[in-house]
Amino acid sequence: MLQIRRDLVDAIWAHARRDHPDEACGVVAGPEPAGPPERHIPMDNAERSPTFYRFDSMEQLKVWREMDANDEVPAVIYHSHTATEAYPSRTDVSFASEPDAHYVLVSTRVPENTEFRSFRIVDGEITEEPVEIVESYMFTHTGADDVPDRAAERD
Amino acid sequence: MAVTVSIPTILRTHTGGEKSVQAAGSTVLEVIEDLEAKHGGLKERLVKDEKLHRFVNVYVNDEDVRFAGGLEASVADGDNLTILPAVAGGMR
């Protein structure tokens, strides 16, 4: 399940609507190892295309280094589809490279659409997951220091 | 020539979970060949038809090697080589 704060959802929608008809893309960083999503980072779509997106490579390096330095991970990787539904395309699946991220899709095909969907994409398999939009992460951890170090167990 | 190579999450299965490994070489290709010798399977994830895979970004320090000679880009002792899969997709 993806639990995400309403202000982050609103920020993703604002970005998607601003860039329509081009696809919008970005990241919401969260503390290692698994979130919750905290810090919205709208990215440039280097392709500036209504049918394709790609993070600008230099911006990606800068943002990934920042996350590394902050002990953050890309908890959410989002993009918009501007003429099709909010579901991962074959292209999305073939490029999905963060097995621990929530891949969020929104569709701006219809202006009143509010479909905000989240998927795990691992080894070419798409698994949709429920999305819970919350006002705050009141009962969840708020910083990396509060999260037990599960990386050691995982490795 | 020793360089430090940052390995992205998705390729860490090839490095036993290590985020960062040491390798040697004076060009990006030589570093990748050395990585392949130590951590088999990495090269085919990075190189296709003797070119850098279109959806893999490789940086020497702060420079995207795509704009600096690709696989022939030179690497010096002490450099950092960062591998990041491009984040990309599309509607089709």
Side-chain angles (χ1 to χ4, degrees), chain A residues 17 21 23 32 46 49 57-58 60 62 69 75 78 82-83 89 97 101 110 112 120 122 128-129 134-135 144 148:
Chain A
R17 293 199 170 111
E23 292 196 6
E32 286 186 314
S49 160
S57 72
M58 293 314 294
Q60 188 186 347
K62 178 177 148 281
Y78 70 89
T82 58
S89 65
S97 56
V110 185
E112 61 274 18
R120 297 288 190 169
V122 181
E128 185 158 13
E129 58 184 0
V134 296
E135 299 306 321

Side-chain angles (χ1 to χ4, degrees), chain A residues 54-72:
Chain A
R54 177 178 182 147
F55 285 8
D56 175 79
S57 72
M58 293 314 294
E59 188 182 27
Q60 188 186 347
L61 178 67
K62 178 177 148 281
V63 167
W64 255 245
R65 284 207 177 138
E66 264 170 29
M67 288 193 290
D68 239 16
N70 296 343
D71 294 322
E72 289 172 321

Side-chain angles (χ1 to χ4, degrees), chain A residues 5 15 21 30 39-40 48 51 62 70 72 78 83-84 99 103 106 110-111 114 144 148:
Chain A
R5 279 199 332 254
H15 182 203
R39 189 165 69 89
H40 176 223
R48 302 207 183 288
T51 58
K62 178 177 148 281
N70 296 343
E72 289 172 321
Y78 70 89
T84 54
Y103 281 89
V106 297
V110 185
T114 56

Side-chain angles (χ1 to χ4, degrees), chain B residues 3-76:
Chain B
V3 297
T4 304
V5 184
S6 301
I7 305 290
T9 314
I10 195 158
L11 297 183
R12 286 178 203 158
T13 49
H14 298 284
T15 59
E18 291 297 326
K19 276 174 90 160
S20 169
V21 295
Q22 296 293 313
S26 57
T27 65
V28 171
L29 183 61
E30 286 178 19
V31 172
I32 291 174
E33 298 285 5
D34 189 50
L35 283 175
E36 176 67 20
K38 294 170 176 156
H39 311 282
L42 273 176
K43 187 181 174 186
E44 66 168 359
R45 306 292 296 272
L46 306 176
V47 176
K48 195 179 173 192
D49 301 331
E50 292 169 31
K51 282 196 199 136
L52 195 58
H53 203 290
R54 192 174 156 221
F55 288 97
V56 174
N57 300 328
V58 173
Y59 311 84
V60 173
N61 301 325
D62 291 334
E63 191 154 24
D64 184 339
V65 303
R66 197 162 272 113
F67 308 112
L71 291 173
E72 298 309 316
S74 54
V75 179

